[in-house]
Amino acid sequence: MDPSPRESLGSLLVEAGVLTEAELAPALERQLATGEPLADALVALGYCRPEEIAQALARRWGLAYIAPDEFPSTPPALKHLSAEYMRQYRVCPVAVEGGGLLIACADPSDLTLLDDLRSVLGGEIRLAVAPEGAVLAAIDRYFGTGSTAVQKVVETIREDELGPAEEDVDHLRDLAFEAPVVRLVNLLIENAVGASASDIHLEPFEESLRVRYRIDGVLFDVEAPPRRLLPAITSRIKIMAELNIAERRLPQDGRIRMNLLGRRLDIRVSTVPTIHGESVVMRLLDRSAILLPLPRLGLDPRTQRQLERLIERPHGMLLVTGPTGSGKTTTLYAALDKINLPGKKIITIEEPVEYQLKGVNQIAVKPKIGLTFATGLRHIVRQDPDVIMVGEIRDSETAEIAIHSALTGHLVFSTLHTNDAPGAITRLLDMGVESYLLASVLEGIVAQRLVRLICPACRAPEAADPKTLRALGVDELPQKITLSRGKGCPECRQTGYRGRTGIYELLVIGEELRSMTVRKTPGNELRRRALELGMRGLREDGWAKVVAGLTTVDEVLRVSQEENGAE
């Protein structure tokens, strides 16, 4: 049975055998005289250790005990719990486990604490007991003394250290190697990795610096350093990416390779000049990430079988289309992994090499020395490959060489930026590819998007909105189908979503569509006929995942377009 809320800490400790009545009396007298908490008085008098008090409280309240050395190196990311609140109530987030949030506290007898945390954070909250000093130390370590970790680093950079204006390149270079600036940039990257972000955006404005992380395809604002530190931060990132810190008038691209939190990161860096300073975007590529096999991409069984038949053909061309960040490369890697057998030679040319495939010859594009997709592809065909993957068809020269490679008995994989599968045919024809050549080599086109998955920890039923259903092309919700939505919890950072999966349409090129390609039939007519022949559109596939309870109608509408091809 839980102890009474009026039961004092002293009584609990005496009952637990940690303290005697004779020791309790002088401690109570000291408490009355000094006004300090009883626990502090007991520790000051040497009657108890903080660990003994916390362990006794944990046993009495039936809660887990967390020792000072059991706090994790990094806490869960919570945006609704300030360091001031945590310090005032002596609570600190420890871990997300079992769909709930574990919070260490120093005083579990505060019966309003759990209700307050649930109302602020939502979701399931579990308390554990830890020594008060350990809780406060963890808060300081995670979030800084009286401030967040970012603020703590910023506070160590004095105004006079920034020196003269940004034009002093030598001073900026020196500043970029100073420990506080190095820690600040590393902290921005480390926080992004901890939040499973794919991109970091640093955007300067007249009086502020905005920092955003892209998580599951959506940008979220995070704590930003002061605007005055932009030159130092930008210079540090440029030095890490081996860029010219003196050049601030032209865009630059570079790459950073680093090990962080036990993971190998390849970071693509892009800088562009704006009217208020240089905007920096860093794309985080986890080189140690696990390659997803085809069955885990989210393809429905029929589409997966069709795709597997296409990638097992001896020659021809398979294209994957979609906007940046839609998972095209992941799909191609999964296809390559499926056919990566000892009897085949596979060569890829990419920018950059995002994953390392065992047994595959991978080439990284280097435009600065003349190694482009087109020039690299010319030499690849002389390497006697069976399968070639071209990271992206960007121009007519690359398209022409890729098609001729497919004509000469190679299986060619590549990507394009188009809105749907039939649009890839129109795009290649616009590049100047001869229609009869394209028709003779093209075997299939995959169009895809990534939708966020409903967080399993806070999933709840949701009433269908007729308006959004009609926008998706669904006139009426079938009986016995209940839609779901995430309510928001610490595990999903209050978004209601965690993780992503793909929605797909696969256009298999048959004789009729080859004839339409030769005649240069407009893209909307190609799409209409492909749907009549059985192609499953993006929104149709998205609706199937909504019905399966994987995602929401809003997500499918966010990433897809009208089925007739109009935006």
Side-chain angles (χ1 to χ4, degrees):
M1 189 173 82
D2 288 341
S4 163
R6 290 182 295 274
E7 190 174 0
S8 70
L9 173 62
S11 300
L12 289 176
L13 293 174
V14 169
E15 185 178 341
V18 175
L19 191 68
T20 66
E21 291 284 358
E23 292 170 330
L24 178 58
L28 290 172
E29 292 177 5
R30 178 184 171 107
Q31 181 191 26
L32 288 173
T34 63
E36 65 187 337
L38 178 59
D40 291 350
L42 290 168
V43 172
L45 292 171
Y47 295 148
C48 296
R49 291 183 293 110
E51 292 81 3
E52 291 177 318
I53 296 173
Q55 288 167 353
L57 287 171
R59 286 194 301 270
R60 192 69 176 94
W61 287 83
L63 301 174
Y65 169 73
I66 299 178
D69 60 354
E70 292 177 337
F71 280 79
S73 58
T74 56
L78 301 175
K79 64 180 181 180
H80 294 304
L81 208 60
S82 68
E84 291 75 13
Y85 177 93
M86 288 184 274
R87 195 168 284 104
Q88 179 181 350
Y89 293 98
R90 293 167 295 166
V91 296
C92 183
V94 175
V96 174
E97 53 182 37
L101 179 67
L102 180 65
I103 291 185
C105 71
D107 182 12
S109 65
D110 185 351
L111 299 183
T112 63
L113 177 61
L114 195 56
D115 291 335
D116 288 346
L117 289 170
R118 283 172 176 157
S119 65
V120 170
L121 299 173
E124 181 63 29
I125 304 292
R126 292 196 304 108
L127 293 180
V129 184
E132 179 178 332
V135 173
L136 294 174
I139 295 171
D140 289 343
R141 188 167 65 252
Y142 297 152
F143 307 100
T145 305
S147 62
T148 65
V150 170
Q151 290 171 339
K152 185 176 180 180
V153 175
V154 169
E155 288 166 2
T156 65
I157 305 175
R158 300 193 310 272
E159 193 75 38
D160 58 350
E161 286 181 329
L162 297 177
E166 346 183 327
E167 285 73 18
D168 190 340
V169 175
D170 291 334
H171 179 74
L172 281 176
R173 181 178 288 106
D174 293 340
L175 191 59
F177 283 101
E178 293 290 333
V181 176
V182 172
R183 285 200 303 270
L184 183 57
V185 172
N186 287 348
L187 186 59
L188 291 173
I189 298 173
E190 183 177 331
N191 288 345
V193 171
S196 300
S198 60
D199 301 84
I200 304 171
H201 291 241
L202 283 77
E203 303 162 313
F205 297 95
E206 186 174 5
E207 296 180 354
S208 64
L209 173 62
R210 187 182 194 186
V211 178
R212 295 192 286 176
Y213 294 164
R214 188 178 294 279
I215 304 171
D216 289 337
V218 179
L219 285 169
F220 292 91
D221 282 283
V222 297
E223 183 185 18
R227 172 69 174 78
R228 62 187 174 86
L229 294 180
L230 176 64
I233 294 171
T234 303
S235 297
R236 175 61 190 169
I237 294 171
K238 283 184 171 182
I239 286 173
M240 294 172 70
E242 299 181 356
L243 300 178
N244 182 2
I245 68 170
E247 180 55 78
R248 292 184 287 269
R249 300 165 302 169
L250 296 173
Q252 296 187 70
D253 294 309
R255 183 178 303 171
I256 300 170
R257 289 187 175 90
M258 64 187 300
N259 292 318
L260 187 65
L261 302 177
R263 297 162 68 177
R264 294 183 300 160
L265 292 181
D266 193 338
I267 304 174
R268 281 187 285 173
V269 178
S270 169
T271 70
V272 296
T274 72
I275 59 173
H276 297 302
E278 286 184 284
S279 173
V280 180
V281 174
M282 292 183 279
R283 164 70 53 95
L284 308 179
L285 302 173
D286 188 350
R287 300 178 65 199
S288 60
I290 299 173
L291 179 67
L292 292 178
L294 274 178
R296 289 186 55 193
L297 295 182
L299 295 156
D300 74 276
R302 173 174 170 264
T303 303
Q304 184 177 323
R305 287 193 300 270
Q306 290 177 320
L307 182 58
E308 287 176 347
R309 285 196 292 268
L310 290 176
I311 65 177
E312 288 169 356
R313 295 189 179 181
H315 53 76
M317 176 180 282
L318 175 69
L319 298 175
V320 181
T321 75
T324 300
S326 60
K328 299 186 297 294
T329 304
T330 300
T331 299
L332 285 182
Y333 279 0
L336 290 178
D337 187 60
K338 177 75 175 177
I339 60 174
N340 185 13
L341 303 172
K344 290 186 177 180
K345 178 165 184 174
I346 301 174
I347 303 181
T348 74
I349 180 163
E350 311 166 57
E351 185 186 11
V353 174
E354 296 188 16
Y355 300 90
Q356 295 184 15
L357 300 173
K358 187 177 181 180
V360 175
N361 297 273
Q362 295 174 271
I363 302 169
V365 167
K366 297 176 182 176
K368 291 182 180 179
I369 61 172
L371 179 54
T372 63
F373 281 118
T375 56
L377 191 51
R378 280 198 184 92
H379 293 277
I380 283 176
V381 295
R382 299 172 191 162
Q383 290 281 308
D384 189 29
D386 297 290
V387 182
I388 300 170
M389 188 192 97
V390 184
E392 183 183 345
I393 294 178
R394 296 178 178 175
D395 51 49
S396 57
E397 186 181 10
T398 305
E400 182 180 351
I401 301 170
I403 286 173
H404 279 285
S405 299
L407 280 171
T408 53
H410 304 96
L411 182 61
V412 178
F413 296 161
S414 192
T415 70
L416 273 176
H417 289 281
T418 63
N419 291 325
D420 61 5
I425 296 175
T426 306
R427 177 66 55 84
L428 289 170
L429 293 175
D430 289 343
M431 286 183 180
V433 174
E434 294 291 347
S435 61
Y436 68 92
L437 292 177
L438 180 60
S440 64
V441 300
L442 196 56
E443 299 293 341
I445 306 168
V446 179
Q448 67 180 77
R449 302 288 189 276
L450 293 177
V451 292
R452 291 181 292 173
L453 293 168
I454 297 171
C455 174
C458 60
R459 178 196 306 275
E462 179 192 41
D465 180 2
K467 184 177 179 181
T468 57
L469 288 180
R470 285 194 297 271
L472 195 58
V474 179
D475 295 326
E476 187 177 355
L477 186 67
Q479 291 183 347
K480 298 182 180 179
I481 291 179
T482 303
L483 304 186
S484 302
R485 180 178 295 275
K487 295 184 298 183
C489 67
E491 196 162 333
C492 62
R493 301 176 184 86
Q494 309 299 327
T495 64
Y497 299 98
R498 185 158 61 90
R500 289 190 290 178
T501 191
I503 59 173
Y504 302 89
E505 64 181 27
L506 172 59
L507 177 61
V508 178
I509 308 298
E511 289 306 315
E512 184 174 349
L513 292 177
R514 292 189 197 281
S515 298
M516 295 177 75
T517 301
V518 172
R519 298 196 303 270
K520 298 184 179 180
T521 304
N524 58 342
E525 293 185 31
L526 280 169
R527 179 173 188 81
R528 179 184 56 77
R529 185 56 184 149
L531 291 170
E532 291 173 354
L533 291 171
M535 182 182 78
R536 184 177 188 173
L538 282 169
R539 286 196 166 179
E540 185 182 353
D541 191 39
W543 172 242
K545 288 178 171 62
V546 171
V547 171
L550 297 176
T551 189
T552 64
V553 174
D554 291 340
E555 267 299 284
V556 177
L557 292 174
R558 180 179 69 86
V559 303
S560 63
Q561 61 179 17
E562 298 291 346
E563 294 291 7
N564 61 10
E567 289 288 356

